[in-house]
mmCIF file of all heavy atoms in Angstrom:
data_model
loop_
_atom_site.group_PDB
_atom_site.id
_atom_site.type_symbol
_atom_site.label_atom_id
_atom_site.label_comp_id
_atom_site.label_asym_id
_atom_site.label_seq_id
_atom_site.Cartn_x
_atom_site.Cartn_y
_atom_site.Cartn_z
ATOM 1 N N SER U 3 -16.175 -10.644 -23.551
ATOM 2 C CA SER U 3 -15.286 -11.404 -22.632
ATOM 3 C C SER U 3 -14.041 -10.518 -22.357
ATOM 4 O O SER U 3 -13.573 -9.803 -23.265
ATOM 5 C CB SER U 3 -14.829 -12.722 -23.216
ATOM 6 O OG SER U 3 -14.122 -12.467 -24.456
ATOM 7 N N LEU U 11 -3.494 -6.990 -6.531
ATOM 8 C CA LEU U 11 -4.274 -5.808 -6.170
ATOM 9 C C LEU U 11 -4.927 -5.122 -7.389
ATOM 10 O O LEU U 11 -6.166 -4.931 -7.432
ATOM 11 C CB LEU U 11 -3.318 -4.845 -5.515
ATOM 12 C CG LEU U 11 -3.979 -3.598 -4.953
ATOM 13 C CD1 LEU U 11 -4.918 -3.856 -3.835
ATOM 14 C CD2 LEU U 11 -2.868 -2.623 -4.451
ATOM 15 N N HIS U 167 16.779 -8.623 16.217
ATOM 16 C CA HIS U 167 17.932 -9.027 15.429
ATOM 17 C C HIS U 167 18.952 -7.842 15.323
ATOM 18 O O HIS U 167 18.549 -6.694 15.473
ATOM 19 C CB HIS U 167 17.561 -9.503 14.014
ATOM 20 C CG HIS U 167 16.649 -10.721 14.093
ATOM 21 N ND1 HIS U 167 17.040 -11.915 14.598
ATOM 22 C CD2 HIS U 167 15.359 -10.845 13.725
ATOM 23 C CE1 HIS U 167 16.041 -12.719 14.547
ATOM 24 N NE2 HIS U 167 14.965 -12.141 14.023
ATOM 25 N N LEU U 183 11.788 11.843 -1.384
ATOM 26 C CA LEU U 183 11.459 12.873 -0.334
ATOM 27 C C LEU U 183 12.342 14.126 -0.388
ATOM 28 O O LEU U 183 12.041 15.074 0.304
ATOM 29 C CB LEU U 183 11.597 12.207 1.068
ATOM 30 C CG LEU U 183 10.732 10.953 1.327
ATOM 31 C CD1 LEU U 183 11.021 10.412 2.728
ATOM 32 C CD2 LEU U 183 9.283 11.265 1.169
ATOM 33 N N CYS U 191 14.058 10.860 7.840
ATOM 34 C CA CYS U 191 13.531 9.464 7.856
ATOM 35 C C CYS U 191 14.657 8.468 8.059
ATOM 36 O O CYS U 191 14.557 7.488 8.762
ATOM 37 C CB CYS U 191 12.839 9.160 6.571
ATOM 38 S SG CYS U 191 11.276 10.022 6.381
ATOM 39 N N VAL U 260 4.461 -1.210 -19.320
ATOM 40 C CA VAL U 260 3.624 -1.190 -20.555
ATOM 41 C C VAL U 260 3.209 0.259 -20.799
ATOM 42 O O VAL U 260 2.588 0.881 -19.941
ATOM 43 C CB VAL U 260 2.330 -2.076 -20.355
ATOM 44 C CG1 VAL U 260 1.436 -1.995 -21.579
ATOM 45 C CG2 VAL U 260 2.689 -3.523 -20.050
ATOM 46 N N ALA U 280 2.181 -0.684 -15.257
ATOM 47 C CA ALA U 280 1.750 0.312 -16.237
ATOM 48 C C ALA U 280 2.602 1.554 -16.215
ATOM 49 O O ALA U 280 2.828 2.136 -15.145
ATOM 50 C CB ALA U 280 0.292 0.714 -15.958
ATOM 51 N N GLN U 323 7.448 2.385 9.638
ATOM 52 C CA GLN U 323 8.758 1.994 10.078
ATOM 53 C C GLN U 323 9.042 2.394 11.507
ATOM 54 O O GLN U 323 8.752 3.557 11.846
ATOM 55 C CB GLN U 323 9.866 2.709 9.262
ATOM 56 C CG GLN U 323 9.711 2.569 7.800
ATOM 57 C CD GLN U 323 10.613 3.568 7.018
ATOM 58 O OE1 GLN U 323 11.555 4.126 7.639
ATOM 59 N NE2 GLN U 323 10.287 3.782 5.798
#
Side-chain angles (χ1 to χ4, degrees):
Chain U
S3 61
L11 184 66
H167 300 296
L183 303 179
C191 290
V260 177
Q323 306 166 20

